[in-house]
Amino acid sequence: MEDLPDVGVLHIDHVGIAVADIDEAIAFYERTFGLRCVHQETNEEQGVREAMMAADADGARIQLLAPLRPDSAIGKFLDRNGPGLQQLAYTVRDVDAASAALRARGLRLLYAEPKRGTGGSRINFVHPKDAGGVLVELVEPA
Ligand code: V0V
């Protein structure tokens, strides 16, 4: 068997949920599940307003994602599916190395080079058709 490089997954970073209204969604997660909003930002390139929700200090986050425009990834997702789970994100040691390791396994990455994600992280995505129907995000924290 071919010796493939390690992808370098460290842990689950976040689960992304598409929502129509970010403020309503934050209030719902606070009120219902007792999560806290620990970060908010707008990412023009990705066409999203996002909020990171936490249950504890170190664990995986829930990322609420609302569209800035209808033709964005989240706008199209909402149009097709309505609100719900949109992506699963892994923290990786090195997004370039992780992307190369996944390409070596025959998986398609959405971007030739990583783009800017939450808090200045570097991100890329695996096409959902190559990952069992799951849009997988790779996050190298800033
Ligand atoms: C589409 N498909 C999905 C999917 N989105 N399957 C699972 N999960 C999803 N989220 C399926 C879709 O039903 C089609 O299946 C097939 O993939 C091809 O879809 P498509 O027509 O090409 O769909 P599009 O145009 O909606 O594009 C889908 C992709 C797009 C994944 C290419 O959403 C994308 O570029 N996503 C990456 C960027 C992103 O998600 N940004 C927002 C989060 P059938 O019908 O052919 O069977 S930004 C973020 O996470 C940040 C900033 C961060 O974490 O730091």
Side-chain angles (χ1 to χ4, degrees):
M1 175 134 164
E2 202 184 343
D3 203 11
L4 292 166
D6 186 13
V7 177
V9 171
L10 299 176
H11 50 253
I12 293 172
D13 193 275
H14 63 264
V15 174
I17 298 178
V19 304
D21 183 309
I22 199 88
D23 296 317
E24 267 179 32
I26 292 169
F28 174 79
Y29 278 83
E30 285 174 344
R31 199 173 60 230
T32 310
F33 300 111
L35 302 192
R36 283 180 310 115
C37 181
V38 292
H39 180 77
Q40 281 195 65
E41 76 179 66
T42 296
N43 186 321
E44 281 292 340
E45 185 181 29
Q46 291 292 333
V48 292
R49 264 190 78 190
E50 58 152 289
M52 283 293 188
M53 308 298 293
D56 58 18
D58 312 313
R61 307 301 197 218
I62 298 294
Q63 182 186 46
L64 303 175
L65 295 158
L68 290 178
R69 23 179 205 274
D71 65 345
S72 61
I74 299 301
K76 287 195 218 163
F77 183 93
L78 285 173
D79 209 33
R80 187 186 284 142
N81 308 288
L85 291 180
Q86 190 256 351
Q87 56 164 270
L88 169 64
Y90 295 114
T91 311
V92 294
R93 204 170 292 119
D94 174 337
V95 72
D96 298 301
S99 300
L102 289 163
R103 286 191 186 102
R105 287 166 171 77
L107 278 66
R108 285 168 293 168
L109 277 288
L110 293 185
Y111 307 137
E113 297 294 333
K115 293 190 189 270
R116 187 192 171 284
T118 312
S121 58
R122 300 172 70 236
I123 62 172
N124 207 336
F125 293 85
V126 179
H127 196 286
K129 292 293 174 193
D130 293 352
V134 178
L135 175 61
V136 172
E137 181 182 351
L138 309 171
V139 182
E140 178 189 318

